[in-house]
Structures are given as C-alpha cells and as structure tokens.
C-alpha cells in the first residue's frame, strides 16, 4: 500500500470524495470535499457537501511513518482500486485540551484516481483508537 501526497508546494484544489457508505457516526452523509489546510503539511478538512459537518484528517505518513495498515482486497475492490493502485490513507484528528489525538484503528482510504473512499475498521489491536499526535 502506498499513500500519495502533494509535493513541491503545489497543492491540489479541494476535491470531491464519495464514501461507499457513511462513516461511523456521520450517516447519512457520503459526499465530502477534501480541502488542504494551508501551511500544515498533510492536514485536511473533510467537509460534507450537504450539511455543516467537518472533520480534520491527517495523511498517515505525517502521523507515523511506520503506520501501514493492510488494506484488504475487498476494500480495494469496493473503491475500484486494483492491487497496484496507490491509495491515500487518512486518519481522523481530534483536537483537545491535552493535544491532538488520531484514530489509527479506523483509517479512511481514498482512491485518488476516482475519489471513492471508505473508512476501514481494523481488527489489528496494535493500532489505538486514541493516539496522541507526536506523542510516544
């Protein structure tokens, strides 16, 4: 699995992302824009197109370079990705008084070529639901 990121200071405009099913807790919303947050590498706002719903998400390599969850073949098929297609992996970031926590157990997998996405709930217990960003 390979994550893709914008490089060389050239950030794409907000792009549409269509989830194959609503993310946990966000039903019925499935269509979002993914907007890069200027000045913050790897940070995006994921905004529902039909409601005032916004999440902050971070590209996985900016969270932890060793974070590499296995994307099942069934998930790849669900978003129209072949085994060799590069995927963008994002994790939800939740700011709080004690820092920013990310959910490594439920990454969002986006097929950049077609904008289809799915939130994967991993069974791998080594990935925490609430991990302090930059903390160890």
């Amino acid at each position: 699995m390979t994550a893709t990121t914008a490089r060389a200071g050239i950030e794409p405009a907000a792009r549409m992302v269509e989830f194959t099913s609503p993310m946990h807790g966000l039903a019925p919303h499935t269509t979002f824009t993914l907007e890069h947050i200027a000045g913050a590498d790897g940070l995006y706002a994921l905004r529902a197109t039909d409601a005032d719903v916004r999440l902050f998400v971070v590209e996985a390599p900016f969270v932890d370079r060793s974070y590499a969850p296995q994307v099942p073949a069934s998930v790849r098929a669900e978003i129209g990705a072949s085994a060799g297609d590069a995927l963008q992996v994002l994790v939800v970031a939740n700011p709080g008084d004690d820092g920013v926590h990310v959910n490594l157990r439920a990454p969002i997998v986006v097929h950049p070529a077609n904008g289809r996405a799915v939130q994967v709930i991993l069974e791998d217990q080594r990935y925490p639901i609430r991990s302090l960003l930059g903390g160890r």
Side-chain angles (χ1 to χ4, degrees), residues 8-77:
I10 301 170
E11 292 295 335
R15 66 178 195 224
M16 298 299 294
V17 175
E18 179 74 32
F19 283 81
T20 59
S21 61
M23 288 186 293
H24 183 70
L26 294 180
H29 313 294
T30 58
T31 305
F32 291 78
T33 58
L34 185 64
E35 306 166 9
H36 177 257
I37 305 295
D41 287 342
L43 179 63
Y44 296 83
L46 188 64
R47 297 178 195 270
T49 59
D50 60 352
D52 189 20
V53 174
R54 178 190 68 191
L55 298 172
F56 289 106
V57 294
V58 181
E59 284 187 292
F62 288 93
V63 172
D64 182 345
R65 293 236 179 253
S66 66
Y67 177 67
Q70 294 300 310
V71 178
S74 61
V75 170
R76 286 181 168 277

Side-chain angles (χ1 to χ4, degrees), residues 2 6 9 17 20 32 42-43 48 66 68 86 92 94 96 102 112 119 127-128:
T2 306
V17 175
T20 59
F32 291 78
L43 179 63
S66 66
V92 176
N94 295 301
V102 292
Q119 185 174 33
Y127 296 125

